[in-house]
Amino acid sequence: MGWSLRTFEAHPEIARIQVVIQPDDRPLYDRSTAGTSRKLRAPVSGGATRQASVLAGLEALSDENPDAVLIHDAARPFVGSSIITRVLAALATHSGAIAAVPLADTLKRATPTGTIGATLDRKGLWRAQTPQAFKFADILGAHRNAARHGRSDFTDDAAVAEWAGLSVALIEDTADNSKVTTADDLREADIRLGGIMEPRTGTGFDVHRFTDGASVWLCGVEIPHTHRLEGHSDADVGLHALTDALLGAIGDGDIGQHFPPSDPQWRGAPSRLFLEDAARRVRMRGGRIANVDVTLLCEAPRIGPHRPQMQSVIAEILGLGPDRVGIKATTTEGLGFTGRREGIAAMASALVMLPASN
């Protein structure tokens, strides 16, 4: 699902994204969407059929009453930006438009015994795909009417629209926008995704001095201490270094460029906001974070007791397993500003997988 979401997030004509899930899948959903943009609304629970789930999603969007809506199967991770643009453009002249592929294979009708009974004319036949775009009021009304009539047998939203008498255009797509449903599909998807990705590494370094206070923020965890770290935000030196490591991996500047200290809106801000933004930038490029590693340099406070919580916080922000988050700490044997307990430094590294064409 994360692959599909990233394409829609990056598209300039998409304002909101509403995902429909089964409640039991919420942990998987949270991991897939960690660090995504604010276009994403809270998920809603689906129904027993695809049709019921789509209606649940449409009802959830009714509070915004958009002009148009795109309905997409999350199991199609290779959807392209071009087809999104083209199905939306078709709404200028039609009530709906769907991605589709003209049939190229010869069609056979089987007999009850499994032999060929007839060869069908494939002329004018198309294979329906998603996204499927509709004027919002039209498709919501069609789905509501179908539910009132007890119809739950429609296999896609274009069929609901056809039943309601709406005009739906066929917009030619490619077979690359395939649906992942079987074990063979999953293996092929892994090959396609793995084959087009390349590793990128980034590093980050940050320092903050101590000032009067009673606690420090380190890697997203507040730790009682004799001082606090001085900074425009919460001065979380670990998250700042890690943010720069992610930005470095994708060649997108540094934390000061995106969140300048001169901007008053970041005064006292939690540094997880910066890390979330860096993770979003990775995903907007079609990338994924493979693992991250942070080293804290300080004489005090002690990091060991807080390491599991730090791993958990960073893993949650980045949508990773805790085993993909390294947290280490070391002293400088009394040498330098950290040895003199004047402040804390942090180093971080990140491995990001990006499409090779980027």
Side-chain angles (χ1 to χ4, degrees):
M1 180 182 67
W3 288 98
S4 299
L5 282 177
R6 285 191 284 274
T7 302
F8 285 95
E9 276 187 332
H11 198 283
E13 294 183 72
I14 302 300
R16 296 285 185 276
I17 301 173
Q18 178 67 68
V19 179
V20 182
I21 64 172
Q22 291 301 321
D24 291 345
D25 292 333
R26 184 60 189 261
L28 291 173
Y29 170 85
D30 289 340
R31 288 199 293 273
S32 296
T33 60
T36 51
S37 78
R38 290 174 175 79
K39 290 183 179 182
L40 190 63
R41 292 167 52 111
V44 296
S45 297
T49 63
R50 181 191 189 280
Q51 187 179 329
S53 295
V54 170
L55 179 55
L58 293 173
E59 295 287 7
L61 285 171
S62 62
D63 62 339
E64 296 197 28
N65 193 30
D67 293 330
V69 64
L70 278 168
I71 302 170
H72 182 67
D73 295 327
R76 294 184 186 273
F78 302 107
V79 60
S81 180
S82 172
I83 191 62
I84 294 173
T85 299
R86 289 185 288 124
V87 294
L88 285 172
L91 294 183
T93 53
H94 297 82
S95 296
I98 71 168
V101 177
L103 284 180
D105 297 324
T106 299
L107 298 178
K108 304 292 184 180
R109 177 179 285 123
T111 67
T113 59
T115 60
I116 296 175
T119 298
L120 305 181
D121 184 2
R122 71 189 181 203
K123 184 178 180 181
L125 296 181
W126 293 65
R127 179 159 50 89
Q129 299 188 153
T130 65
Q132 300 188 353
F134 304 93
K135 294 177 181 177
F136 181 76
D138 289 345
I139 195 63
L140 176 58
H143 266 280
R144 284 174 172 172
N145 199 26
R148 282 194 297 268
H149 283 78
R151 291 295 303 271
S152 60
D153 56 326
F154 296 112
T155 55
D156 76 346
D157 305 289
V160 178
E162 295 161 41
W163 174 78
L166 300 178
S167 169
V168 182
L170 292 163
I171 308 300
E172 187 168 350
D173 196 8
T174 69
D176 287 342
N177 185 16
S178 57
K179 194 173 184 180
V180 179
T181 55
T182 68
D184 285 341
D185 294 337
L186 283 170
R187 282 191 288 272
E188 183 179 348
D190 283 341
I191 292 170
R192 289 176 66 181
L193 293 173
I196 61 174
M197 304 294 281
E198 66 179 15
R200 305 282 186 91
T201 60
T203 61
F205 180 79
D206 196 39
V207 173
H208 282 283
R209 70 175 72 245
F210 283 128
T211 189
D212 293 338
S215 65
V216 294
W217 282 93
L218 291 174
C219 294
V221 178
E222 187 175 19
I223 302 173
H225 190 50
T226 56
H227 296 77
R228 67 175 177 88
L229 290 171
E230 185 178 43
H232 191 61
S233 64
D234 64 7
D236 189 327
V237 66
L239 293 192
H240 291 184
L242 184 51
T243 298
D244 270 350
L246 288 175
L247 292 173
I250 60 174
D252 194 4
D254 59 30
I255 192 172
Q257 175 183 333
H258 298 295
F259 303 96
S262 58
D263 190 335
Q265 70 173 308
W266 308 121
R267 189 179 305 280
S271 294
R272 67 174 292 144
L273 294 178
F274 310 151
L275 187 59
E276 288 170 353
D277 182 76
R280 179 187 63 82
R281 291 173 183 274
V282 171
R283 292 180 172 89
M284 290 284 281
R285 287 162 173 76
R288 61 182 176 86
I289 302 167
N291 74 287
V292 297
D293 188 39
V294 179
T295 300
L296 298 169
L297 294 84
C298 60
E299 300 293 325
R302 292 186 59 218
I303 303 303
H306 307 282
R307 182 180 288 112
Q309 188 179 0
M310 292 177 176
Q311 286 180 293
S312 178
V313 169
I314 293 175
E316 182 266 325
I317 294 172
L318 300 182
L320 301 175
D323 62 324
R324 293 179 180 268
V325 178
I327 301 290
K328 305 185 301 295
T330 185
T331 70
T332 54
E333 301 293 334
L335 302 175
F337 76 93
T338 58
R340 295 190 298 270
R341 301 175 184 251
E342 295 172 1
I344 296 179
M347 302 182 298
S349 62
L351 175 62
V352 169
M353 305 301 293
L354 283 184
S357 59
N358 274 21

